[in-house]
Amino acid sequence: MDAVEKYMRRAFELAQLGLGTVSPNPLVGCVVVKNGKIIGEGYHQQFGGPHAEVDALNSIKDSSLVKGSQVIVSLEPCSHHGKTPPCADLIIGNEVGEVYLSNIDPNPLVAGKGVEKLRNAGITVNTGILEKEGSFINRRFFAQIIKKRPYIILKWAQTQDGFLARINNDSKWISDSYSRKIVHKWRAEEDAILVGTNTAFHDNPTLNVRDWSINKNQSQPVRVVVDKHLQLKNDLNLFQGAQPTICFNLKKNEISGNVEYVKLNDQDFLQSMLNELHSRNIQSIIIEGGAKTLESFIKNNLWDEARIFESQKRFVEGIASPKIEGSLISQNKLKDDTLSVFINNS
Ligand SMILES: NC(=O)c1ccc[n+]([C@@H]2O[C@H](COP(=O)([O-])OP(=O)(O)OC[C@H]3O[C@@H](n4cnc5c(N)ncnc54)[C@H](OP(=O)(O)O)[C@@H]3O)[C@@H](O)[C@H]2O)c1
C-alpha cells in the first residue's frame, strides 16, 4: 500500500473516534509525518473543540520536528475564523512542508479556500487521497451541507419470512439481545431517532441509549415522533424525562417541558419535517419504524442507508417488512441474526 494511503487510513480511523460528539461539525483525523515516521496524530473530538490539525500538532513533544513535516488530514483545513482560528494559518505558521488531504470541505465558508491559502504560502497540497472512503466517513456532514437535510438511516428487524410485526402489532423478540445492543451503539452515534404514530402507541419505546455507554461529551439523541392528530397520550415513554423530543403534527406549535410540538402542513409533510430537523442542525437521523413510516421515506427516495436485521424466526403472517432497492455494502452473520447494510445510490 502507498505510504500516504496508509497514513490517510490512520487519519480516517482517528476521525471516526469523533462519531457522536462532533456533529454538526465533520469528522476529521490528522497524522503528522517526518522522515517516514508518525510524529503526531489527533482528531476533532468535540463540537466547538480544537480541530484535528491542532490536536495532532499539539501532540508533538519535540516541536523542532514540525518544520518540513507532512500533514495528512482527512478533510481540507479550514480557512475561516469559526469557533477556532483557521487551521490553514496554523499549518503555514508551523512551516509544514507538504499537505495531503482526502476531501475538499463542501462548507461554502471553506470550499477550496483552505487549499488556496496553503498553496499561496508555498506549501505543496495533494488532494483527493482515498476520496471515496473519505466522503463515506463524512457522509452525514456531506448530506447536511449538500442535500440540506439530515443523513437518513432506515433501520428495522424482520423475520426470515419477511415480517416486521405480528398482526396484533407485537414486534417484540424479532432480533436478539446482541442486535439490540448494536442498535443502542448506533443511537449513540446519531443525532436523532424517529418513529411513527403506531409504533409509539403499540411499542411504547423509550428511544434512548441505555444498552451502550455514552461518554461525557455525548448527549442522548433527540427523539422525534410523527403524531399528526395528536392522538398519542403524553404518558408514553418517549415523552418522559429530560431528553429533547419533537412531535410533528398538524395542530399546534407549543413547547411543553422537554417536548416541542411542531405544526406542519399536510402537503409536503415529510420534506417539511426534514427541513425543520435541518434547521435545528440535526445532521443524522435513524428511522426506527414502523412499516408505514419506513415506506414513506423509501417511496419519496429520502434515505441514504438501510440497516436490516433478519432473524431466523418465522411469523407466517403479519405486517410485511418494507422492500428496498439499494447497493448491498455489507452482510454479516451476528449472534443469531444477519445484518445487511444497503446504501442508496440513486
Ligand atoms: N420490526 C421492527 O423493526 C419494527 C420497528 C418499529 C415498529 N415495528 C412495528 O411496526 C408496527 C407499526 O407500523 P405501522 O406501519 O402500523 O405504523 P407506523 O409506521 O409506526 O406509524 C404510521 C403512522 O405514522 C404517521 N406517519 C409516519 N410517517 C409519516 C410521514 N412521513 N408522513 C405522514 N405521516 C406519517 C401516519 O399517521 P396517520 O395515519 O395519523 O397519518 C402513519 O399512519 C408496530 O406493530 C410495531 O411494533 C416493527
Side-chain angles (χ1 to χ4, degrees):
M1 197 202 315
D2 178 303
V4 172
E5 289 191 359
K6 188 178 75 184
Y7 298 134
M8 189 58 84
R9 288 190 201 285
R10 175 64 186 147
F12 289 164
E13 272 178 5
L14 291 161
Q16 289 172 96
L17 297 174
L19 200 52
T21 54
V22 302
S23 171
N25 278 351
L27 299 167
V28 191
C30 179
V31 172
V32 186
V33 174
K34 185 78 176 281
N35 301 327
K37 283 205 174 91
I38 294 182
I39 57 166
E41 51 179 39
Y43 66 102
H44 183 37
Q45 300 184 19
Q46 197 188 351
F47 175 69
H51 287 185
E53 299 89 325
V54 179
D55 198 37
L57 288 166
N58 282 346
S59 76
I60 302 170
K61 302 243 161 28
D62 180 357
S63 57
S64 70
L65 291 173
V66 177
K67 190 173 174 180
S69 62
Q70 298 170 311
V71 164
I72 293 93
V73 61
S74 59
L75 190 73
E76 178 183 14
C78 64
S79 51
H80 63 297
H81 284 268
K83 287 191 182 298
T84 55
C87 292
D89 289 354
L90 181 78
I91 292 170
I92 296 165
N94 275 283
E95 298 180 75
V96 163
E98 207 170 355
V99 173
Y100 292 86
L101 59 94
S102 182
N103 300 114
I104 298 294
D105 188 341
N107 179 351
L109 291 171
V110 188
K113 296 189 198 85
V115 171
E116 197 182 308
K117 202 169 199 181
L118 293 170
R119 286 188 176 145
N120 287 343
I123 296 176
T124 305
V125 184
N126 307 278
T127 63
I129 316 294
L130 300 175
E131 199 171 10
K132 226 173 128 196
E133 288 90 331
S135 348
F136 189 69
I137 286 166
N138 259 322
R139 56 200 186 279
R140 300 163 180 82
F141 177 68
F142 280 34
Q144 181 191 30
I145 303 270
I146 297 165
K147 299 180 179 175
K148 303 206 182 313
R149 61 156 173 80
Y151 184 81
I152 300 169
I153 301 169
L154 309 180
K155 174 249 131 183
W156 71 85
Q158 62 185 43
T159 60
Q160 200 183 54
D161 51 354
F163 295 106
L164 201 85
R166 292 190 190 275
I167 291 283
N168 67 358
N169 278 299
D170 179 9
S171 67
K172 291 214 168 59
W173 320 127
I174 294 182
S175 52
D176 64 37
S177 58
Y178 186 85
S179 304
R180 291 198 297 275
K181 206 179 216 358
I182 292 179
V183 172
H184 280 250
K185 175 179 184 293
W186 293 344
R187 285 179 175 179
E189 293 171 347
E190 311 303 338
D191 288 347
I193 312 168
L194 179 146
V195 292
T197 318
N198 298 345
T199 297
F201 176 76
H202 291 289
D203 296 0
N204 195 9
T206 305
L207 300 184
N208 64 2
V209 183
R210 334 180 264 290
D211 224 356
W212 195 261
S213 59
I214 53 175
N215 71 38
K216 61 175 175 17
N217 297 330
Q218 270 175 299
S219 43
Q220 289 280 348
V222 173
R223 301 182 285 207
V224 183
V225 62
V226 178
D227 182 15
K228 281 188 178 175
H229 309 287
L230 295 177
Q231 293 163 306
L232 297 174
K233 297 229 168 68
N234 53 14
D235 61 357
L236 287 174
N237 288 334
L238 66 78
F239 293 123
Q240 308 310 310
Q243 197 176 338
T245 306
I246 303 173
C247 176
F248 287 112
N249 67 85
L250 299 177
K251 293 187 181 286
K252 67 173 179 184
N253 282 312
E254 188 183 297
I255 293 181
S256 169
N258 63 318
V259 186
E260 182 184 1
Y261 293 88
V262 180
K263 183 179 169 185
L264 301 176
N265 286 323
D266 213 1
Q267 297 90 1
D268 291 334
F269 192 90
L270 186 52
Q271 189 57 55
S272 315
M273 195 160 72
L274 294 173
N275 294 346
E276 287 289 337
L277 294 170
H278 178 70
S279 73
R280 287 163 175 75
N281 263 337
I282 289 182
Q283 199 184 65
S284 62
I285 187 161
I286 312 182
I287 313 302
E288 291 209 15
K292 283 186 189 141
T293 304
L294 289 160
E295 275 154 7
S296 73
F297 282 88
I298 296 169
K299 195 175 94 207
N300 288 286
N301 198 26
L302 285 167
W303 66 280
D304 298 294
E305 193 173 326
R307 302 174 180 176
I308 305 165
F309 293 102
E310 189 175 294
S311 80
Q312 292 169 15
K313 291 173 192 124
R314 300 178 75 82
F315 279 179
V316 183
E317 57 176 3
I319 300 177
S321 60
K323 303 284 169 280
I324 202 157
E325 281 181 26
S327 306
L328 181 69
I329 57 161
S330 68
Q331 190 164 58
N332 291 299
K333 179 92 179 76
L334 307 176
K335 192 165 156 263
D336 294 325
D337 305 333
T338 300
L339 171 63
S340 304
V341 179
F342 294 85
I343 51 166
N344 186 355
N345 284 326
S346 62

